[in-house]
Structures are given as structure tokens and as C-alpha cells.
Amino acid sequence: MGPYKSGISAGSSSSSSSSCAGKQSEIDGLLSGAGYKVRSSDLRQVAHRLERLETVMVNAPAEISQLASEAVHYNPSDLASWVDSMLSELNQPVPMSSDLSDLPYIDGFVAPALHQTVLSEGWTEQNTHEQQQLTVVTAVEEDSAIRLVHLLMTCAESVQRGELGLAGSLIEEMRGLLTSVNTECGIGKVAGYFIDALSRRLFSPLAVCAGSSLESDILYHHFYEACPYLKFAHFTANQAILEAFDGHDCVHVVDFSLMHGLQWPALIQALALRPGGPPLLRLTGIGPPSPDGRDSLREIGLRLAELARSVNVRFAFRGVAASRLDDVKPWMLQVGPREAVAVNSIMQLHRLLGSDSSRVSPIDSVLGWIRSLNPKIVTVVEQEANHNQPEFLDRFTEALYYYSTMFDSLEACSLQLEKSVAEMYMQREICNVVCCEGSARVERHEPLAKWRARLNGAGFRPLHLGSNAFKQASILLTLFSAAGYCVEENEGCLTLGWHSRPLIAASAWQAVSDTSAPFGRIKDNLL
């Protein structure tokens, strides 16, 4: 509770005093009618007492815990006596009464902090007891949550300085604090994942955070179902690709991460309804080799081919198995000279940002051969985060706040299974950001501003995602009951976020025909 400032200026006339006295009398009557044995002139004193009580509750949780179970609780309709009794139980001095007739009124309302304390008529002593217990638990949990965040930052700073012994002891302290907070949601859940990631970094540096490609597919699918981020990415990219293909009879999509092929049924159906008839659609899907010897890419292609056949779209599929995106070469894609090409990257380019001084940077290499394809459009969707900073503490701090918001948004999901598995999807990202270094750290997210600069420098110009893409994204959000999701336009790009924080950004690009661009000189080395 802060200080209460009067909105009444000095030198009020007697008529103003009379008016104020009349208003106080009116409020006295309202309080009395509601069963509250307190005068309006006493309200500020009660507020100060409550402020003292709140301070004691935060700073002395042990005494409060005892009080919640043993204290005799008085009828709260007598507010002043009730607060005095609480302070007495805690052996705190009770403030002396004073003339507080200058309590300010703003548009007929008393101070909000006190308004929140007024207890309704008919409130029983049992209700009071439960309310006090809840207040005590909340105060203790909030204090533990604040300490957890502080210890997380201190531990990350210790890791950066190489003080691993101190970092280990802080991890043990944080594990103890987790018993005082709710680990099913909020900061308790997020802190648990970051504590686990720090522990892995210290004690199991060789432990692999990522599982098999099959596990990754399963997690990806549940993350897709639990929240709108991947749906937003797919719908926005598809709308841009559909518009870029307008007027072309032979089109070719190169997908940097086919996964389950979830993105493409919607595009196939949209092309089937295109005025003048659908084009010939070729899809090249890139994905990791199957560990069990199955050709999972081909299986996905067969399912998509069956769908295309059912809606009369001529369709051809090619799967390219590659453990790393920079292992792919343009000749593997078999792009025809008459084809309108779209290159689609959903949360993949950031994996190429790790540098290797012994050869061309992976991101430069891939952007170079993308440009050599002369695509009609390149759709890029990336996390709107900055997890590629060289200083460990900086990226740890950014990751902590970013994933706190992500987990907060995930609480809106009503599908418990999908929500639980989606949390595992994000847990793997956290583990990679915090635990891994060098080539093992692939979750190197960067914000939209950095991608703009990088793509402009690589010989691409931005394409404006039009109003149709914005409408598609807005309609998509109506499928989710949570009001916290928001789509915003950002200089021709679209972002999806939770409340005021953008969490994912979609942009579209086109290769610039300029042989003097830097990648024109190294193209031959990439083939």
C-alpha cells in the first residue's frame, strides 16, 4: 500500500467544507447500513493499520503461519478492532487514533487499497479464517517466487564467471525453494525447467537434450495442437505462397522441415479452388533420416499425394533426408527452369547461426543457394527472441523471460495431454539454450530486426504480407478462447504474441536479381 494523496487543494471555502462533511455523513450511513462499525473519518487510520499488517505478513511468515492456525478471529464487520486484534496477536504496536477527517474522496470513492479490504455483510468467522490462511500462503509463495528468480540470475552469473561450486550450491537452494511454490503453473514451473537445465550444464555436460527424430515429431505435433503459434506460422506462410503462385501453372515448394506435413493440406485445398484450375504442384520435403530404416518422408508424401488426388490437384513429391540443413545442395532439389519456386522455413534458419571459422558460415551458405534458385518467395517464421548472444547471462536472462511468457500463454490450453507434451517441446528448447555451446547449441533464436538485416545483406528484398494474411491470422485466433493472443503488423511482417510481448514473427522475401551481390561470387562453391 502506498501513501494516500489528497486531491483537495488548500484554502477550501466553508461551502466546500460543508459539502465534504455531507459526503462523509452519506458514506457513514452507507457503511453503517452494510454492517460496518467504522466511520469514514477512521478509514485512513484503518488503512495504515492494514499496511502495517501487510508488512508483518510478508516479513514474518512463520508467525503468520502460527497465527492462521491458532488465533481467535473477530467479527470483521468491526474493521478497526479486527485489524488491532491481528496486530496484537503479532505483538505489534497498535497505532493511536487521530483526527483523519481529511481523508480524500476521488469521484465519490475511498482509497482503492482500503476498498479491497472491506468484507461483505454476512462474512463468517470461518470465511475469515480461510481468507487469512490464503493470504498467508500467497504471501509466502510470492516471496519464494521472487527469491527463485533472484537465485536463478545469481546462479547464471556464477556459471558465466566459472564459479561452478557456488552455482551448484545455489541449485540445491533453489530445489528447496521449489517446495514452497506451485510447480504446476507460473514461475514455479518455469523455474523448475531452468534449474534442471542449469544442473545438466554443471553435472551432465555430455547429456543430450534432444531425443530421436520420432520423439521430436511427436512433441512438434502436440505443440501444434496445444497453441496457435505453429498454426499461425503455417497459415501465414501459405497465404503468402498462394499469392506468389498466382498466374503460374507449375509451382514448386521447398520445405525446410517437413515434419508431419501438417502445413500442406491447406495449401493443396486452396490451390484446388484457384480460379482457372489448380497448377501442377511439386513439393520437396527436407527432414532427418529415419533411425529405424523406414522412409518416413516418403510415407508423408504418399498421404499428401492421396489428398491431392482427391481434390484433383496434380502433385509430385520428393523427400530429401539430411541431418543438417547446410548439408543440402541445390542439385538435390531438382528445381525446373519453368517452375515458380517457394522456399519455406518454419523455425529452421536460426539453427544455422553457429559459426565455424574453418569454412563458410552455415547461414551464409544456405542463404546463398536459396538465392541461386531465384525463388518467387521465401517465407521465414522465427521465434521473436534473442537467444544467440555471446554472454551466457544475457541469453539466460532473455530465455527466462521469453519462456515465462510462452508457458503463461500455454496455460490457456484446455487440452491437458497436448499441453503437457507441448511443455516438453519447450523444455527441450530451454535445455539447448542453457546447456549447450558450440555446434551442439542449435536453438539460436534472433529477433526480427536481425533477420531483416541479415536477409537484406544476403540479396533479398522484403515482401509485404498483405491484409489477407492478417485476416487469416486473426480468424485463426478465434479458434482459441484465450483473449491474450494478439496479431500485429510490423513493417510488412506479422507477429503473434501473448498480451504485449511478440513471441513469433513471420516475414516474406524475394531474391534480388543482382549479380554483384556477395553470394553471386561464391555460388559455384556451393554446387
Side-chain angles (χ1 to χ4, degrees), residues 15-33:
S15 61
S16 298
S17 299
S18 237
S19 170
C20 184
K23 186 171 292 186
Q24 289 180 5
S25 175
E26 179 183 349
I27 292 180
D28 284 342
L30 291 172
L31 289 169
S32 176

Side-chain angles (χ1 to χ4, degrees), residues 240-500:
I241 292 170
L242 184 66
E243 293 175 6
F245 282 167
D246 188 34
H248 294 275
D249 295 328
C250 187
V251 299
H252 188 168
V253 175
V254 178
D255 186 7
F256 277 2
S257 182
L258 186 64
M259 299 304 284
H260 289 276
L262 296 173
Q263 180 171 348
W264 305 117
L267 180 67
I268 292 171
Q269 292 171 348
L271 290 173
L273 300 173
R274 199 175 73 168
L280 166 63
L281 170 63
R282 290 189 61 212
L283 173 62
T284 297
I286 302 172
S290 299
D292 54 5
R294 293 169 48 241
D295 191 348
S296 56
L297 292 175
R298 183 173 181 275
E299 292 175 3
I300 296 169
L302 287 173
R303 291 197 295 270
L304 292 173
E306 183 62 32
L307 171 65
R309 188 180 302 110
S310 69
V311 294
N312 298 317
V313 173
R314 293 173 297 158
F315 180 82
F317 176 82
R318 179 178 177 80
V320 176
S323 299
R324 293 173 53 89
L325 194 55
D326 51 322
D327 290 336
V328 177
K329 297 296 182 281
W331 61 265
M332 300 177 182
L333 310 177
Q334 298 184 359
V335 174
R338 295 179 52 252
E339 295 176 341
V341 178
V343 177
N344 181 69
S345 175
I346 306 297
M347 301 180 188
Q348 294 301 310
L349 288 183
H350 68 263
R351 295 173 171 265
L352 303 169
L353 296 180
S355 61
D356 185 348
S357 58
S358 64
R359 61 192 184 101
V360 177
S361 170
I363 186 65
D364 292 343
S365 172
V366 171
L367 289 179
W369 68 250
I370 291 175
R371 190 171 179 276
S372 74
L373 299 176
N374 193 29
K376 288 286 296 182
I377 190 170
V378 180
T379 47
V380 177
V381 180
E382 287 290 338
Q383 290 90 339
E384 186 62 6
N386 196 8
H387 300 153
N388 195 32
Q389 301 174 78
E391 296 292 332
F392 175 73
L393 179 60
D394 291 338
R395 75 170 180 269
F396 182 91
T397 304
E398 170 72 14
L400 181 60
Y401 287 107
Y402 178 83
Y403 285 104
S404 293
T405 309
M406 284 290 291
F407 275 98
D408 188 29
S409 72
L410 200 57
E411 288 301 316
C413 176
S414 59
L415 306 172
Q416 291 305 311
L417 174 61
E418 283 75 7
K419 174 183 169 183
S420 298
V421 182
E423 288 172 355
M424 295 171 61
Y425 177 91
M426 290 193 290
Q427 181 186 14
R428 284 195 178 180
E429 288 189 357
I430 292 170
C431 184
N432 190 266
V433 171
V434 174
C435 296
C436 301
E437 295 294 347
S439 60
R441 180 158 58 87
V442 296
E443 301 297 348
R444 296 174 175 267
H445 313 135
E446 289 191 347
L448 179 59
K450 289 190 175 183
W451 285 110
R452 277 200 182 106
R454 181 177 289 109
L455 287 159
N456 277 319
F460 295 88
R461 66 179 181 86
L463 294 176
H464 196 287
L465 292 173
S467 58
N468 285 336
F470 184 87
K471 290 175 184 175
Q472 290 270 4
S474 300
I475 291 172
L476 169 66
L477 292 188
T478 63
L479 302 175
F480 292 82
S481 58
Y485 292 110
C486 58
V487 177
E488 294 183 357
E489 192 272 339
N490 183 337
E491 298 181 26
C493 306
L494 293 182
T495 63
L496 173 62
W498 180 249
H499 294 293
S500 60

Side-chain angles (χ1 to χ4, degrees), residues 99-130:
D99 183 10
L100 298 168
S101 58
D102 62 341
L103 178 73
Y105 296 92
I106 303 175
D107 297 331
F109 294 99
V110 296
L114 182 60
H115 175 73
Q116 294 172 3
T117 323
V118 174
L119 305 175
S120 62
E121 184 177 11
W123 191 273
T124 65
E125 293 187 10
Q126 178 63 29
N127 292 141
T128 308
H129 179 74
E130 292 174 356

Side-chain angles (χ1 to χ4, degrees), residues 144-153 155 170-171 173-175 177-179 181-199 396 399-401 403-405 407 427 430 434:
S144 297
I146 293 170
R147 290 175 61 198
L148 264 177
V149 173
H150 173 71
L151 288 173
L152 279 167
M153 303 302 298
C155 186
L170 290 171
I171 287 174
E173 185 176 352
M174 287 187 287
R175 290 197 187 281
L177 266 180
L178 282 177
T179 62
V181 299
N182 182 3
T183 56
E184 296 300 315
C185 62
I187 189 60
K189 174 174 285 186
V190 179
Y193 289 137
F194 275 85
I195 292 169
D196 180 65
L198 286 167
S199 180
F396 182 91
L400 181 60
Y401 287 107
Y403 285 104
S404 293
T405 309
F407 275 98
Q427 181 186 14
I430 292 170
V434 174

